[in-house]
Amino acid sequence: MKKRITLLLVVLSSVAFAQDYLVEEKYNPESYSRNPFSGNAENPNHRGIYGWGLYDHAGAESPTTNRWGSNHFNIRYQYNQKLFLGTFLVFGTGYNWNSFNLLKSETSFYNDSTEYDKRKFRFQNITSHLGLRFQTNENPDESFFLQVNGYWDILTHTAFNGWLEDENGVKIRNRKTKLNDTKINTFGLELRTGYAPFALFARYRLSDIFDNSVIDLPLFNFGIDIEIPSGD
Amino acid sequence: MRNIAIILFLTCNSAFAQMEAFLVSFKDKPVGDFNPYAYFHQDAINAKQAMGLPLYDWYDLPLNHQYVQTIQSIIDSTGYNLRWFNGLVIYTSVDKAASLFQLPFVKSISSLSSELVPTAERYFPEDVQEDFKIFDWQLQTLGKSYFDDKNLNGKGVKICIVDVGFDKADLNSLINRYIINRTDTFAWDFALNRALDFSTGHPHGGQVASFVAGKIDGHSVGLATEANLIFAKMNALFKTNKTREEAWLKAVEWAHQQGARLVNSSLGYSGNRSHKHNKLTGDSCLMSRAANLSARKGMLIVSSAGNDGTTLWKRIAFPADADSALTVGAISPETGVRTNYSSYGPTFNAKLKPNVSALGDVFWWNGDHLQEISGTSFSSPLVTGFAACILQDNPSLKPMDLVDTIQKSSSLYPYFDYSHGYGVPQASKYFNADTIQADSATVTIEKSPSYLQEGYYSFEYKSHNNSQIFYQIVNKKGIIKEYNVVKYEFKNDAPKIYYSDLEKGDKIRVKHRGTFIEVVHK
């Protein structure tokens, strides 16, 4: 069996490399170029960004949440404005969804809720960001990049959800919205790096979510992004 | 406090009221007595006579002094008089420039670019083996030995190197014989309008000149080792208000005045606010227009294609789009096809560019050790040296005849594409001594079996299996819709061009070694 697999791999690899295109170009006068100078083509510096990540305590002494189930998801628009060579000023706006899955033992938040089997905070924000982006060449679809942003989130929706199963096996979900002890504005820093449309991101929140809170929800989240040129 | 506020306001205002460079062209110029023998260098007179061209034309006449003085009385800061464009360069705001249209003698006002940059891609500073034989190999890609056999080395051909700087070129043994102890007017700094100082600036021009005419220890680095080089610098960082484009235009006029038959310009700019892709028509940018005019006047501009193959711009730079410039792209010594950084064509109006190609990754002697450098900046001077050898062999060739001769002498001719042009110029082909002439076809175009529902064309090697096949699909208008370079190992891996992807009248053109085939799809 092992021999057969090896033989198959050899055959497949020879098939894969048997034809070698050294140059492959198509030319269509109707779409002469795809760049911001052309005046008649898509501009790849308009970016749609879709990101998903996990919240992490990043070494905090007393974690408050489970990593799994504490998510960040965002959809953003970003424009890359060239400054010089591969250096760009970036700015954008969008919306994000955040979920924090509290540890069963966590009593810092709503300490009367520990009877629940699962508890989650959910926050939604309008987000905007401003930063610098460094690319290995001018085309964001063909370059490695490193991007450093400051971001600013404006809270639009808050919710606290608790799930439990009572002694009769009935599943109960309680939901409290419009939490009144949260801050409207939060801000932080973001680092993104990747190649072409694919990126890793890390965000660090510099402000608390809750007013007058002794400890706070995780400050750090990291994940993956995909950028899609959105055109003119 | 109020005074400080006013000063701040004025400072901000002056910072934002941006001074820009414009060329104000006049409607006419005085056609009086003009003595070409006083204006032109004797080499220019000789060159024009050799080509059978008139000694001067309208473009060489000086500007109307009254027009110049009127403009100077309105605009504080002015630059060069450009005879070819019958205009004066001014530095002012957009509004003030536009106001000059009120003058009855003003024909047009064009903006000038400061963004002209050398087309060197990158430098590898690490030492490599100190063996000058690498230079022989580099030049043999152009067939140097065939020129050697005929003792052709550019002798008697004047070549102007227009570049951003020539720092320490006078110290580099490759080319310092062209600089040291020279008493004629052979070098001018058009950024500062004074004699060229070889001790400052960018070294790019010295590197470029090396690949035209450099030699060391009996090894040639460029093909035209006996040509007469002159140097024009057009950049002085922070010290001049002259834009690079203005300096370039003046430098080209000067080169013509000095009798240069060739200008190597390893420079270009790849788009700005006013020059977008749709201006790549060969006659929009002032530099491109100057390159076209230059060819009419007997001086060929050899231009690097640009290094934007991997940037957003991708296409050739200005002035490489000029119809009458010989535009040179870069090929890789490893693959023999276009390097990824080399800008490619066609022009916006689908004209062939680049015209030809040459090595882009080359070795250079920096005075201390060999260094590998890259860019179409170095492809261009290799071809300039080639052109000089042909001009030495046939001094009466006019620029466009020279372009035609070089294209016909190139490795892919009559095949061409928008990455390689006609391929790499070959001295062997120039002398009709090509060693890769095929006695019989090395590749054939095969049609698919008739019983197949979806028909296609494919290729079959007849010899030299697994070597590069250049093929393309050309529409009825002669525009290349698709071009590829491919090699394959097994017959079944041969590329297939399906009938469904073709229109009636499309041509499939194939080049493989000495074989060239063209099939019309019916």
Side-chain angles (χ1 to χ4, degrees):
Chain A
M1 186 62 182
K2 195 176 170 186
K3 277 185 182 172
R4 282 184 188 174
I5 291 172
T6 310
L7 183 66
L8 185 65
L9 283 174
V10 168
V11 170
L12 282 176
S13 64
S14 70
V15 167
F17 293 102
Q19 191 186 52
D20 185 9
Y21 273 87
L22 301 163
V23 174
E24 215 174 346
E25 290 289 343
K26 284 187 167 62
Y27 169 66
N28 179 0
E30 299 304 315
S31 55
Y32 185 75
S33 63
R34 190 170 168 277
N35 76 71
F37 310 119
S38 69
N40 63 352
E42 261 184 70
N43 180 348
N45 284 320
H46 293 281
R47 316 294 285 177
I49 302 175
Y50 310 89
W52 176 84
L54 292 171
Y55 275 97
D56 192 276
H57 283 276
E61 285 182 14
S62 51
T64 52
T65 59
N66 288 310
R67 181 177 296 150
W68 300 108
S70 299
N71 303 307
H72 167 87
F73 176 69
N74 68 60
I75 297 177
R76 287 181 282 176
Y77 162 80
Q78 174 176 298
Y79 185 73
N80 304 343
Q81 174 62 49
K82 183 183 168 188
L83 296 177
F84 55 89
L85 297 175
T87 305
F88 293 78
L89 177 73
V90 295
F91 47 90
T93 187
Y95 204 72
N96 63 40
W97 292 258
N98 301 274
S99 167
F100 297 91
N101 184 7
L102 290 177
L103 288 171
K104 178 73 179 163
S105 57
E106 178 52 55
T107 57
S108 305
F109 308 97
Y110 305 118
N111 56 13
D112 55 347
S113 66
T114 50
E115 68 200 64
Y116 287 104
D117 299 329
K118 187 166 84 170
R119 296 171 296 161
K120 276 192 174 185
F121 281 115
R122 284 186 171 146
F123 304 107
Q124 296 173 30
N125 302 286
I126 292 171
T127 183
S128 52
H129 64 275
L130 176 70
L132 286 174
R133 177 175 170 119
F134 308 96
Q135 292 177 187
T136 48
N137 69 52
E138 287 180 47
N139 188 345
D141 291 331
E142 296 174 0
S143 61
F144 289 96
F145 74 89
L146 176 73
Q147 181 178 324
V148 184
N149 298 333
Y151 71 83
W152 173 38
D153 285 352
I154 303 171
L155 200 60
T156 57
H157 288 83
T158 59
F160 176 76
N161 295 291
W163 291 264
L164 65 82
E165 191 172 320
D166 69 11
E167 59 276 16
N168 301 318
V170 177
K171 290 180 179 173
I172 298 168
R173 177 194 177 203
N174 278 329
R175 176 178 168 84
K176 180 182 179 184
T177 58
K178 297 182 181 172
L179 307 180
N180 56 11
D181 49 355
T182 52
K183 290 181 174 171
I184 297 294
N185 296 295
T186 54
F187 55 90
L189 295 173
E190 181 182 32
L191 186 72
R192 303 179 63 239
T193 184
Y195 176 76
F198 305 105
L200 300 173
F201 72 82
R203 288 159 60 96
Y204 190 82
R205 197 176 66 248
L206 294 168
S207 58
D208 295 337
I209 292 178
F210 289 98
D211 289 324
N212 309 317
S213 173
V214 179
I215 63 167
D216 206 349
L217 294 167
L219 301 170
F220 178 69
N221 77 74
F222 63 95
I224 52 173
D225 268 347
I226 184 161
E227 283 187 5
I228 296 174
S230 58
D232 285 322
Chain B
M1 192 63 189
R2 189 162 167 263
N3 287 346
I4 293 172
I6 290 170
I7 290 167
L8 279 174
F9 174 77
L10 288 175
T11 310
C12 292
N13 252 5
S14 61
F16 285 104
Q18 219 174 359
M19 298 284 277
E20 293 185 32
F22 301 91
L23 173 65
V24 182
S25 291
F26 307 142
K27 286 178 179 166
D28 52 67
K29 59 163 80 170
V31 187
D33 292 334
F34 179 76
N35 181 359
Y37 294 97
Y39 177 68
F40 286 116
H41 191 283
Q42 187 58 43
D43 289 343
I45 301 289
N46 296 344
K48 284 169 185 287
Q49 285 172 341
M51 287 182 279
L53 293 171
L55 291 187
Y56 72 96
D57 56 26
W58 181 86
Y59 295 98
D60 298 315
L61 303 178
L63 273 58
N64 185 324
H65 285 298
Q66 284 184 334
Y67 294 170
V68 172
Q69 283 171 356
T70 306
I71 299 284
Q72 284 171 338
S73 68
I74 300 168
I75 306 292
D76 294 336
S77 183
T78 58
Y80 285 123
N81 293 356
L82 298 176
R83 292 187 183 201
W84 287 12
F85 288 97
N86 191 24
L88 174 70
V89 175
I90 60 168
Y91 314 103
T92 187
S93 65
V94 175
D95 292 342
K96 199 155 187 184
S99 71
L100 296 179
F101 271 120
Q102 292 170 353
L103 298 171
F105 57 83
V106 170
K107 180 185 174 191
S108 64
I109 300 173
S110 320
S111 67
L112 288 159
S113 169
S114 300
E115 296 160 13
L116 203 59
V117 293
T119 48
E121 173 70 359
R122 56 184 185 270
Y123 300 86
F124 301 99
E126 66 269 23
D127 289 3
V128 292
Q129 196 184 351
E130 307 290 290
D131 188 345
F132 296 145
K133 285 180 183 168
I134 188 71
F135 295 140
D136 302 336
W137 180 84
Q138 282 175 183
L139 292 186
Q140 198 51 36
T141 59
L142 299 154
K144 175 178 181 290
S145 57
Y146 289 90
F147 285 137
D148 289 344
D149 290 346
K150 305 279 182 183
N151 207 19
L152 293 176
N153 45 30
K155 191 170 186 178
V157 179
K158 190 176 264 188
I159 303 170
C160 182
I161 312 295
V162 181
D163 216 291
V164 288
F166 298 89
D167 185 31
K168 298 184 179 56
D170 55 334
L171 303 178
N172 191 311
S173 50
L174 292 178
I175 53 163
N176 61 3
R177 67 188 186 283
Y178 286 110
I179 300 165
I180 297 169
N181 298 328
R182 204 163 156 183
T183 52
D184 60 331
T185 307
F186 71 99
W188 198 257
D189 184 335
F190 287 91
L192 300 173
N193 200 15
R194 68 181 191 195
L196 204 162
D197 177 1
F198 285 90
S199 64
T200 62
H202 200 291
H204 182 261
Q207 295 168 330
V208 167
S210 304
F211 293 101
V212 176
K215 66 177 178 183
I216 187 167
D217 288 356
H219 298 271
S220 299
V221 182
L223 288 170
T225 50
E226 295 302 319
N228 181 4
L229 294 197
I230 58 175
F231 305 90
K233 182 184 170 189
M234 22 146 301
N235 185 38
L237 205 58
F238 307 127
K239 290 181 185 169
T240 179
N241 59 355
K242 290 186 171 34
T243 67
R244 293 183 184 185
E245 186 167 13
E246 172 192 3
W248 190 95
L249 293 169
K250 192 66 185 174
V252 168
E253 263 191 40
W254 174 78
H256 175 246
Q257 191 183 1
Q258 296 301 314
R261 298 289 306 269
L262 299 165
V263 169
N264 187 88
S265 171
S266 290
L267 309 154
Y269 67 87
S270 46
N272 55 27
R273 194 178 51 183
S274 57
H275 285 87
K276 299 175 180 176
H277 264 163
N278 56 9
K279 293 284 175 71
L280 275 174
T281 52
D283 56 2
S284 296
C285 157
L286 285 172
M287 291 164 67
S288 308
R289 286 163 57 192
N292 294 335
L293 185 56
S294 170
R296 280 170 52 189
K297 294 167 73 61
M299 183 174 75
L300 177 65
I301 292 185
V302 184
S303 175
S304 55
N307 294 339
D308 284 304
T310 57
T311 72
L312 279 176
W313 183 260
K314 295 197 183 304
R315 306 291 177 178
I316 48 170
F318 300 98
D321 65 321
D323 292 345
S324 306
L326 179 65
T327 303
V328 186
I331 58 159
S332 157
E334 278 99 33
T335 62
V337 298
R338 181 175 70 83
T339 61
N340 60 350
Y341 59 76
S342 182
S343 298
Y344 50 90
T347 61
F348 189 72
N349 44 358
K351 289 185 179 167
L352 169 68
K353 287 287 170 184
N355 300 83
V356 293
S357 304
L359 286 181
D361 303 336
V362 288
F363 283 91
W364 177 67
W365 173 251
N366 67 5
D368 180 51
H369 58 267
L370 283 174
Q371 193 179 12
E372 191 180 0
I373 54 181
S374 293
T376 55
S377 277
F378 311 115
S379 315
S380 172
L382 286 169
V383 174
T384 300
F386 188 96
C389 293
I390 291 181
L391 277 181
Q392 183 191 356
D393 191 44
N394 188 353
S396 64
L397 273 181
K398 290 177 186 168
M400 293 320 291
D401 297 331
L402 178 60
V403 170
D404 192 47
T405 302
I406 291 172
Q407 288 182 161
K408 285 179 175 165
S409 304
S410 296
S411 56
L412 297 175
Y413 185 87
Y415 183 96
F416 62 85
D417 66 32
Y418 301 141
S419 281
H420 310 91
Y422 286 97
V424 181
Q426 300 292 309
S428 57
K429 280 191 131 182
Y430 174 66
F431 293 113
N432 295 316
D434 193 4
T435 53
I436 321 180
Q437 294 291 348
D439 293 331
S440 56
T442 55
V443 72
T444 55
I445 299 181
E446 305 288 335
K447 279 187 168 181
S448 58
S450 55
Y451 56 80
L452 285 181
Q453 204 169 18
E454 196 176 14
Y456 59 81
Y457 295 96
S458 189
F459 311 116
E460 188 177 344
Y461 286 116
K462 295 298 176 187
S463 65
H464 300 90
N465 288 7
N466 203 12
S467 56
Q468 291 170 5
I469 295 176
F470 289 71
Y471 74 93
Q472 61 187 209
I473 301 166
V474 184
N475 71 13
K476 278 189 278 192
K477 292 177 184 170
I479 295 170
I480 302 170
K481 291 159 64 176
E482 179 182 338
Y483 60 94
N484 305 284
V485 183
V486 67
K487 57 182 183 177
Y488 59 90
E489 200 167 343
F490 304 110
K491 189 179 173 183
N492 288 342
D493 296 320
K496 293 179 175 60
I497 303 167
Y498 288 95
Y499 298 161
S500 55
D501 293 332
L502 297 171
E503 291 170 28
K504 273 190 180 176
D506 280 357
K507 290 176 186 169
I508 299 165
R509 307 172 88 221
V510 182
K511 174 75 178 175
H512 177 244
R513 296 183 64 78
T515 301
F516 173 72
I517 309 171
E518 186 174 276
V519 169
V520 181
H521 177 65
K522 292 171 184 168

